[in-house]
Amino acid sequence: MSLLSDIMAIGTGFWTTFRHLGRRPVTIQYPEEKRIPFPRYRARIVLTRDPDGEERCVACYLCSAACPVDCISMQSAERSNGRRYAAWFRINFSRCIFCGLCAEACPTMAIQMTPDFEMCKRDIMDLVYEKDDLLIDGCGKDPEYNFYRHSGIGVVNPRGGNPDENPPVDARSLLP
């Protein structure tokens, strides 16, 4: 029984080899020909802007808390109008595993993943990207979303002042 199964295994191997002998190879010459990644491919992280041109990042630290390898760091600051922003924002791409948890945790959609996967550097310190390296001019995947217009925070409009919101309810008026 053992001899028959060994012959069958060898025969299957030879059959697989002969079946693929006539096919053309599917080799892509990488620097000259670039493979187009799938639409949902996640690679390089960027910081986006809202439709008004302001930075979307409000330095809430949710991305650095969600990062399993602790490669994101930032410092928050506040403008004179009360709007928060990241004074500095840093991602160490030599540690990043491109899991996308930071983009999922971001409430303002400031962090977004792009399909740019060519980030090879000779010096490991060149893979530490600062805010200037990460900030792009566009809005990213959702160009209409503006966090401060939808959040109800009193920076742009008072609470309940947006067209899609109800004014706040006085809790004492609900008592019997």
Side-chain angles (χ1 to χ4, degrees):
M1 196 69 170
S2 167
L3 182 64
L4 182 62
S5 64
D6 290 345
I7 292 173
M8 288 294 292
I10 291 172
T12 305
F14 278 128
W15 171 248
T16 305
T17 302
F18 286 129
R19 192 174 51 180
H20 289 284
L21 264 175
R23 293 185 181 176
R24 295 189 65 201
V26 191
T27 305
I28 295 176
Q29 302 297 325
Y30 169 63
E32 293 83 23
E33 299 175 38
K34 295 188 179 177
R35 183 182 300 229
I36 299 171
F38 293 106
R40 294 186 61 176
Y41 181 76
R42 300 181 312 220
R44 187 174 181 269
I45 297 169
V46 293
L47 290 175
T48 59
R49 298 179 183 270
D50 61 10
D52 299 335
E54 296 284 333
E55 299 174 20
R56 280 185 175 168
C57 181
V58 293
C60 63
Y61 298 100
L62 287 175
C63 57
S64 68
C67 182
V69 292
D70 199 27
C71 65
I72 300 175
S73 59
M74 70 184 81
Q75 177 66 46
S76 66
E78 193 170 312
R79 293 195 175 103
S80 60
N81 63 357
R83 185 171 179 166
R84 288 176 49 128
Y85 70 100
W88 56 268
F89 189 96
R90 186 174 298 135
I91 295 180
N92 186 352
F93 279 115
S94 65
R95 297 186 68 187
C96 184
I97 59 174
F98 304 105
C99 62
L101 291 176
C102 56
E104 293 292 326
C106 185
T108 63
M109 293 179 64
I111 296 179
Q112 294 184 12
M113 310 287 283
T114 64
D116 180 23
F117 58 90
E118 297 172 328
M119 295 176 33
C120 184
K121 306 281 183 176
R122 291 213 180 264
D123 185 18
I124 199 166
M125 292 307 292
D126 290 340
L127 289 171
V128 177
Y129 281 48
E130 299 290 334
K131 181 174 148 180
D132 297 334
D133 303 325
L134 297 167
L135 197 60
I136 63 171
D137 290 332
C139 296
K141 297 175 184 164
D142 192 3
E144 287 83 33
Y145 180 72
N146 191 337
F147 175 72
Y148 278 105
R149 296 248 168 86
H150 295 287
S151 63
I153 296 175
V155 175
V156 176
N157 293 325
R159 288 196 185 269
N162 291 325
D164 57 345
E165 290 181 336
N166 295 326
V169 177
D170 184 18
R172 287 182 231 133
S173 67
L174 301 175
L175 295 172

